[in-house]
Amino acid sequence: MSLSIETNYANLSSGYKINNAADDAAGLAISEKLENQANMYDVATQNAEMGNDMLNVADGALASLHDSLSRIRELGLQASNSALYSKDELSMMQIEIDEIKKGISDIAKNTQFNGLKLLDGSMADINLATNPTGKGQEIKMVNASLEALGIADFDVTKNFNLKDVDNAIKKVNEARSDIGAKSNRLAYTIMSNQYSSYNLTAANSQIRDTDMAEEMSDLQKNTILEQIRINMQKKQMEEEQQRRNNFFV
């Protein structure tokens, strides 16, 4: 089998027209660089997707906190009309508020993503490597503990101020708005990275991938040429043998 036919079969079986440096040293170097760049964009996309998942977990928890704080405010507003309620009734309201505060505390302590606590104030700022350089977007989570929200001592059986609950609700709403903005930015980054990876992969394909139709046509041509070469060689051998036979006659 000729080297040309062997090359055709190698290209068809691998799907590549550059299988080693001997095929095209410069093309292989460019191809590997493009492939590496595409891979880096894919990893950056994965990082951004994980970051977005983390934000979604935090946002879901904050939505629950908002509902809880809204209920505390309802009870606080109700208790503000203290002239119509006895101490026992106010105490019952406070029992519900205390249970809600325990729920808020549990959410702040237990909301996690991949083992990282998101809302208890222990999470350091995170830099998401959302581009191939290793840089990207900084994520800072809100501290949603009762103390940070300013409602740890909220008690409708004592002197209280609804402004404390309003400030806590405002803090949660601002955190959710910030998460929404960061999530939208990550979504754009994911789309941009995927587009860049696609273009790099397409460029690499142009350099390295085999054109199957062209390769098959080339194989057919080389097979015919090889057959002609074999036939001509066989004919030459027969003619040479005939000359030898005539010489000895």
Side-chain angles (χ1 to χ4, degrees):
M1 185 183 295
S2 71
L3 180 61
S4 296
I5 293 177
E6 289 180 356
T7 300
N8 291 143
Y9 280 125
N11 292 348
L12 288 168
S13 62
S14 68
Y16 298 128
K17 60 187 175 185
I18 303 176
N19 291 294
N20 52 60
D23 293 333
D24 183 350
L28 181 62
I30 295 171
S31 171
E32 290 184 342
K33 184 177 181 180
L34 291 172
E35 183 177 4
N36 182 64
Q37 289 177 335
N39 288 339
M40 292 304 99
Y41 273 108
D42 290 341
V43 172
T45 296
Q46 293 173 6
N47 291 343
E49 288 172 340
M50 285 188 66
N52 220 359
D53 290 341
M54 180 183 68
L55 291 178
N56 288 336
V57 170
D59 185 56
L62 290 173
S64 181
L65 290 185
H66 180 274
D67 292 341
S68 296
L69 290 170
S70 295
R71 178 56 182 163
I72 290 177
R73 197 187 191 287
E74 290 175 7
L75 292 169
L77 182 59
Q78 188 176 353
S80 296
N81 202 17
S82 58
L84 298 179
Y85 297 104
S86 66
K87 290 182 179 180
D88 289 341
E89 289 170 327
L90 290 175
S91 294
M92 291 299 294
M93 292 180 192
Q94 186 58 38
I95 288 174
E96 182 179 352
I97 290 173
D98 288 340
E99 288 300 314
I100 294 173
K101 289 198 292 183
K102 287 179 184 178
I104 292 174
S105 183
D106 288 343
I107 290 173
K109 290 178 181 178
N110 299 323
T111 299
Q112 299 182 28
F113 180 83
N114 197 29
L116 298 174
K117 292 188 175 183
L118 304 182
L119 302 177
D120 68 347
S122 65
M123 185 176 184
D125 294 354
I126 293 180
N127 178 66
L128 294 177
T130 58
N131 63 56
T133 66
K135 298 181 180 180
Q137 184 171 333
E138 187 175 276
I139 302 294
K140 181 178 178 62
M141 289 296 177
V142 65
N143 183 348
S145 65
L146 294 175
E147 291 74 18
L149 292 176
I151 59 167
D153 299 323
F154 187 80
D155 190 336
V156 296
T157 66
K158 303 174 183 179
N159 291 329
F160 66 93
N161 191 338
L162 285 178
K163 190 69 175 177
D164 295 336
V165 183
D166 290 337
N167 289 337
I169 292 174
K170 180 181 178 183
K171 187 171 185 177
V172 169
N173 286 340
E174 288 175 347
R176 293 193 70 193
S177 294
D178 184 58
I179 285 175
K182 285 183 170 63
S183 183
N184 288 337
R185 181 180 169 187
L186 284 174
Y188 175 80
T189 298
I190 290 168
M191 180 177 65
S192 177
N193 284 348
Q194 289 174 335
Y195 188 68
S196 295
S197 176
Y198 173 82
N199 285 334
L200 287 166
T201 300
N204 184 30
S205 178
Q206 290 292 324
I207 295 173
R208 193 164 188 175
D209 289 357
T210 296
D211 184 325
M212 291 298 182
E214 182 179 346
E215 199 68 39
M216 286 295 295
S217 176
D218 195 42
L219 173 61
Q220 185 177 22
K221 178 194 72 176
N222 289 331
T223 300
I224 293 172
L225 291 174
E226 177 68 5
Q227 189 61 50
I228 292 172
R229 185 189 67 79
I230 292 172
N231 290 339
M232 290 181 66
Q233 187 178 39
K234 183 178 179 181
K235 184 177 181 181
Q236 288 175 350
M237 291 175 65
E238 290 174 349
E239 290 176 349
E240 180 65 24
Q241 185 62 41
Q242 183 64 38
R243 283 196 297 267
R244 290 178 180 177
N245 292 338
N246 291 337
F247 179 79
F248 290 106
V249 171

